[in-house]
Amino acid sequence: MRRSVLAAVGIVALGLPALGRASTWEIDSAHTSVQFAVRHLMVSTVRGTMGKVSGVAKTNDADVNKSSVEASIDVGGISTREAKRDEHLKGADFFEVAKYPAITFKSKQITAAGTDKFKITGDLTIRGVTKEVVLDVEGSPKPFKDPFGNVKLGGLARTTINRQDFGVSWSKLLDSGGLAVGNDVEITIDIELIQKADDAAASR
């Protein structure tokens, strides 16, 4: 579901230990993905992915609290590899994509949590409902250049949310007393950032 994300998203902190200046990074949508996992019938786990992720991160290693991130996730691209289930998820029982096409994240606080690890607190908005969430982030230790000369960072962010908090409330009560769809949703975000051209040129 998401972040997340969803941007989803702890991406802002990924390069802080290695950068000597403030810089701006864009989410590389082609190499960033949001995955979710939720219990089904209390006996198995259904896993899926969200759609395209876009957004901007601004890093400042001199003062991590001055760094920030904003991200948006396309809910219409949700996929669990089962067409009927995906259509149900896009409908009013779950995400109501026609009315709420995106999940958004905006950071509020960033703190170091170990070597190349960070906690990012921010506002996650799903179905028009905004709640505070915390992302646990593991980032690449330093920027690197891809084969095309682009400066990049990578990382992984995780969190768990209760979908009921965001109004994603459909389910059925089983005879056993459990739920057809679990409330806790595990979110994993694989992240790749690309430094904006002006900042990349200045850092050479």
Side-chain angles (χ1 to χ4, degrees):
M1 292 182 184
R2 190 57 188 64
R3 121 100 47 115
S4 98
V5 75
L6 352 240
V9 179
I11 56 182
V12 66
L14 298 179
L16 292 178
L19 301 177
R21 55 188 297 276
S23 56
T24 301
W25 304 76
E26 294 180 344
I27 296 174
D28 185 343
S29 298
H31 300 102
T32 297
S33 61
V34 177
Q35 302 95 42
F36 62 88
V38 62
R39 295 288 287 172
H40 178 244
L41 299 177
M42 309 300 293
V43 296
S44 65
T45 298
V46 170
R47 302 180 188 277
T49 58
M50 301 303 278
K52 181 179 178 179
V53 185
S54 58
V56 174
K58 295 182 179 180
T59 61
N60 188 320
D61 62 325
D63 185 352
V64 67
N65 290 308
K66 292 182 180 179
S67 299
S68 63
V69 60
E70 293 188 28
S72 179
I73 302 168
D74 171 28
V75 189
I78 192 170
S79 174
T80 61
R81 302 169 303 284
E82 175 58 49
K84 289 184 178 180
R85 180 168 57 210
D86 293 345
E87 286 304 311
H88 192 193
L89 290 171
K90 294 175 186 179
D93 284 340
F94 287 94
F95 289 105
E96 198 170 357
V97 171
K99 187 175 181 179
Y100 306 104
I103 291 171
T104 62
F105 178 82
K106 185 175 182 178
S107 66
K108 296 165 64 176
Q109 183 181 36
I110 303 166
T111 57
T115 303
D116 302 324
K117 295 182 179 180
F118 301 85
K119 288 187 179 294
I120 298 185
T121 302
D123 286 333
L124 177 68
T125 301
I126 302 174
R127 279 188 63 126
V129 178
T130 301
K131 298 287 184 180
E132 186 176 276
V133 300
V134 179
L135 303 177
D136 293 312
V137 182
E138 297 179 26
S140 53
K142 60 182 180 179
F144 61 93
K145 284 187 178 181
D146 68 13
F148 305 101
N150 299 307
V151 181
K152 290 193 169 185
L153 290 170
L156 179 69
R158 295 187 177 94
T159 193
T160 299
I161 63 170
N162 186 323
R163 64 189 180 90
Q164 299 286 344
D165 292 342
F166 297 91
V168 185
S169 56
W170 184 92
S171 192
K172 289 184 178 179
L173 188 64
L174 304 175
D175 292 340
S176 63
L179 296 174
V181 180
N183 288 328
D184 289 339
V185 183
E186 297 178 5
I187 299 163
T188 302
I189 308 167
D190 290 299
I191 305 153
E192 194 165 309
L193 301 176
I194 182 168
Q195 193 172 28
K196 292 191 71 173
D198 292 347
D199 287 332
S203 65
R204 292 191 179 103

